[in-house]
Amino acid sequence: MQSTLPEKDVDGLHIINAGKLATGDLKTGLLSCTPAGAMILVRQIHGKDLSGLNALVIGRSNLFGKPMAQLLLNANATVAIGHSRSRDLPELARQADILVAAVGRAEMVKTDWLRPGVTVIDVGINRVAAPEKGDGKFKLVGDVAFAECKPVAQAISPVPGGVGPMTIAMLMANTVIAAHRRGGVTAPSF
């Protein structure tokens, strides 16, 4: 008989893991890999306690937006979720100390959306035409206009090469945690 334990689903997307995150149980479930990786980037800048900081997550998906908002809440940030139907999204963004973009629109977030000194985590992966590379060639860009926003931000993650490698690292961390739990050994903390 196959096990249905969430430890088998090391991506952290199992409904039991989502429920544990939603209820604030960060110890016994596995965290969704991309939000967990993005949180590590945020903590590199701001530390573990985000008390007093305003965070905006642009995107409300079950795979990233909602888990990211929950992780920010668990770290004591004041969190807003913006999306395609939000009224005056640029104004919401200007209030953020931490802005996490995961909406799926190439370079949607512009410099006039940002408060100086903001931390920007760009989770978007968008394929756009790159005629400078040759006929029919493409390049990857994020949801944030990186070159334009970089001078305004305290820290900004690039696309590609930012959150993607963190997602892979968290998948490996979840695999180690699940293996320890399966073997009845206390799992390391990441």
Side-chain angles (χ1 to χ4, degrees), residues 11-79:
D11 57 12
L13 298 174
H14 190 280
I15 193 165
I16 292 174
N17 290 320
K20 287 176 181 273
L21 175 60
T23 60
D25 178 0
L26 304 183
K27 299 288 183 202
T28 64
L30 294 172
L31 297 178
S32 179
C33 296
T34 303
M39 257 329 264
I40 287 177
L41 294 176
V42 168
R43 287 183 166 149
Q44 289 289 316
I45 305 302
H46 298 285
K48 284 191 174 202
D49 186 6
L50 305 180
S51 295
L53 297 177
N54 293 321
L56 173 65
V57 178
I58 303 175
R60 58 182 168 177
S61 72
N62 290 329
L63 297 177
F64 182 81
K66 291 174 186 174
M68 185 72 212
Q70 196 65 46
L71 288 172
L72 289 161
L73 279 170
N74 279 310
N76 299 319
T78 301
V79 180

Side-chain angles (χ1 to χ4, degrees), residues 43-175:
R43 287 183 166 149
Q44 289 289 316
I45 305 302
H46 298 285
K48 284 191 174 202
D49 186 6
L50 305 180
S51 295
L53 297 177
N54 293 321
L56 173 65
V57 178
I58 303 175
R60 58 182 168 177
S61 72
N62 290 329
L63 297 177
F64 182 81
K66 291 174 186 174
M68 185 72 212
Q70 196 65 46
L71 288 172
L72 289 161
L73 279 170
N74 279 310
N76 299 319
T78 301
V79 180
I81 299 176
H83 48 79
S84 61
R85 301 209 189 257
S86 294
R87 191 176 310 169
D88 203 358
L89 196 51
E91 181 55 34
L92 283 173
R94 282 188 283 276
Q95 298 171 33
D97 301 301
I98 301 164
L99 185 140
V100 183
V103 72
R105 292 189 185 165
E107 299 181 330
M108 181 180 92
V109 177
K110 305 292 186 193
T111 191
D112 64 334
W113 289 35
L114 303 180
R115 160 194 262 174
V118 66
T119 297
V120 179
I121 307 296
D122 192 347
V123 183
I125 297 279
N126 304 284
R127 198 174 133 191
V128 298
E132 70 277 4
K133 291 184 171 186
D135 215 18
K137 299 291 182 177
F138 293 88
K139 65 181 177 180
L140 293 178
V141 298
D143 292 346
V144 177
F146 183 84
E148 149 183 348
C149 292
K150 185 178 178 183
V152 177
Q154 171 187 2
I156 186 169
S157 65
V159 174
V163 175
M166 295 303 300
T167 299
I168 296 165
M170 294 314 301
L171 181 60
M172 297 310 298
N174 277 358
T175 302

